[in-house]
Amino acid sequence: MAGEDVKKEGGKRNVFNSTTVRSFCPLVSGPAVLALMLCFSFSFNPKKTNQGPVSKEGECVGEAWWKDAQCFSACTQASSETSLTQNVSWKGISCYKCLGWNGADPIFDYVETLHGANEPWGAVLDAGTGPNSYPWLLSLPGKTRCDAVTASHSMARLAAAGASKSGNKGPVCNMHVRSWMHDADFLEGQFYDNIIMDYLIGAVEGFEAFTQERLFKRLAKHLAPQGRLWIIGLEPFPHRDILPAHVSPDLVAVAELRDTAIALSGERPYREFPLLWYHAALQGAGLKHLDATAGFANLYSVQWASHQLREAWAHLQKCKHAAACEGLKQDVKNLEERLKREWGRTERCFGMNFVIAAGW
């Protein structure tokens, strides 16, 4: 599967004892057009301080979100209020085109630390690779075998380009453009010590809809007895009708327009699943959690919203329903203009990413 989005930029730490900020930008198109985004990531230790880019009104701006403990607490609180799942251990902040990027990737850092900084990775499978997980895969130490899989030839090319751009000199992993659901004998008899599912489930809808539960069972067949399945996912946006009264529906409106435009262009929008769904899917595959679920609060900027709306506009150019899409084009334009006017340089915490470590 092409489960990866352009959302990560390398970066490692040997210990995980700090709050971190990570970039995540979902792919917004189906298999015909894989829209990529410029995304940025951070890694800082939060400290209660009066320094940092905080406005006179006391608002949290830029680096204050992860350098100021009160700002970090406010962000995780806001993300908790707008997530469908509450029972997570907050580890950091995921940045969607935020200010102050330093290039690190705290979610990959977290996975590496949970695995063990000096532990070999053995046989590794990236079940839905792309231009960010693939370079990271190459950097992992102690690999005895390495396979990366995508359903998209264009994603395979982007993954190779991402590895080249990263400058990673690790051994090249085997790249496979194959379908987990249609190629029943693919990797038959192969077992892996570590399997990576990096935003894979949400992307499946754009390629092989309604196969998400079957995919878990398919991948479980390849997990070694003492192996780990690493799941990185995104909680779907809640419906606007269940948002707390004090929470603006602006981000939901952006996602609604984006997904409507994708559908009207003849493609399938990606579909994220809540953390509770993953719990049930793991149980259905005979797997269990090995560690507490880690949560990363999502921080959005108007630049992220603008990029999503530009993607919506691009898809509306391919729309077959002219009358309906002309009206939507005006909606896209109006919303982007309003958000730029009202948001300015402010950022908003909404929803979360999560990491699950699972096994037998």
Side-chain angles (χ1 to χ4, degrees), residues 133-187:
S133 69
Y134 187 64
W136 176 68
L137 196 65
L138 297 180
S139 74
L140 298 177
K143 296 187 298 293
T144 58
R145 190 170 78 255
C146 181
D147 290 289
V149 182
T150 175
S152 164
H153 287 279
S154 62
M155 186 60 72
R157 290 191 293 270
L158 288 167
S164 177
K165 183 179 178 180
S166 72
N168 190 288
K169 303 300 182 181
V172 175
C173 294
N174 301 313
M175 179 70 72
H176 308 272
V177 181
R178 301 289 293 271
S179 165
W180 285 114
M181 293 296 99
H182 294 160
D183 300 336
D185 297 331
F186 176 51
L187 295 180

Side-chain angles (χ1 to χ4, degrees), residues 80-289:
S80 180
E81 291 177 345
T82 51
S83 296
L84 301 177
T85 307
Q86 306 297 316
N87 187 25
V88 299
S89 175
W90 292 106
K91 298 297 183 182
I93 294 176
S94 300
C95 178
Y96 293 63
K97 289 183 172 287
C98 303
L99 303 172
W101 167 61
N102 84 332
D105 188 325
I107 289 186
F108 279 162
D109 290 346
Y110 175 77
V111 170
E112 289 189 46
T113 302
L114 205 57
H115 172 268
N118 298 314
E119 294 295 321
W121 283 79
V124 185
L125 170 65
D126 184 356
T129 198
N132 293 285
S133 69
Y134 187 64
W136 176 68
L137 196 65
L138 297 180
S139 74
L140 298 177
K143 296 187 298 293
T144 58
R145 190 170 78 255
C146 181
D147 290 289
V149 182
T150 175
S152 164
H153 287 279
S154 62
M155 186 60 72
R157 290 191 293 270
L158 288 167
S164 177
K165 183 179 178 180
S166 72
N168 190 288
K169 303 300 182 181
V172 175
C173 294
N174 301 313
M175 179 70 72
H176 308 272
V177 181
R178 301 289 293 271
S179 165
W180 285 114
M181 293 296 99
H182 294 160
D183 300 336
D185 297 331
F186 176 51
L187 295 180
E188 182 69 24
Q190 300 295 314
F191 295 93
Y192 296 88
D193 302 299
N194 290 278
I195 298 177
I196 314 298
M197 296 178 66
D198 187 27
Y199 299 103
L200 174 58
I201 291 298
V204 167
E205 194 75 6
F207 293 85
E208 295 173 333
F210 315 118
T211 63
Q212 286 84 355
E213 291 184 8
R214 289 169 53 203
L215 178 59
F216 262 101
K217 295 177 181 178
R218 177 76 165 82
L219 293 177
K221 291 170 53 178
H222 298 285
L223 188 64
Q226 301 300 318
R228 280 192 175 185
L229 178 66
W230 301 96
I231 302 167
I232 300 170
L234 169 71
E235 279 270 298
F237 281 6
H239 192 276
R240 60 172 67 222
D241 289 347
I242 63 173
L243 289 175
H246 64 279
V247 174
S248 167
D250 283 349
L251 290 168
V252 175
V254 170
E256 288 172 345
L257 280 174
R258 177 199 65 201
D259 290 349
T260 300
I262 292 170
L264 288 173
S265 74
E267 299 176 11
R268 283 186 178 274
Y270 287 10
R271 181 166 61 121
E272 304 298 340
F273 286 73
L275 185 55
L276 292 176
W277 179 89
Y278 283 85
H279 294 168
L282 285 171
Q283 185 176 12
L287 299 170
K288 62 183 179 181
H289 285 70

Side-chain angles (χ1 to χ4, degrees), residues 20-85:
T20 51
V21 183
R22 187 206 206 198
S23 164
F24 174 79
C25 297
L27 279 172
V28 294
S29 67
V33 179
L34 292 168
L36 300 175
M37 306 176 186
L38 298 175
C39 306
F40 308 96
S41 312
F42 310 79
S43 173
F44 290 97
N45 196 26
K47 298 177 182 178
K48 191 171 183 179
T49 173
N50 292 325
Q51 300 177 352
V54 181
S55 71
K56 293 180 180 179
E57 294 78 21
E59 296 175 343
C60 299
V61 179
E63 294 180 0
W65 284 114
W66 54 92
K67 285 191 171 181
D68 186 289
Q70 291 182 342
C71 290
F72 174 77
S73 178
C75 189
T76 56
Q77 176 63 32
S79 291
S80 180
E81 291 177 345
T82 51
S83 296
L84 301 177
T85 307

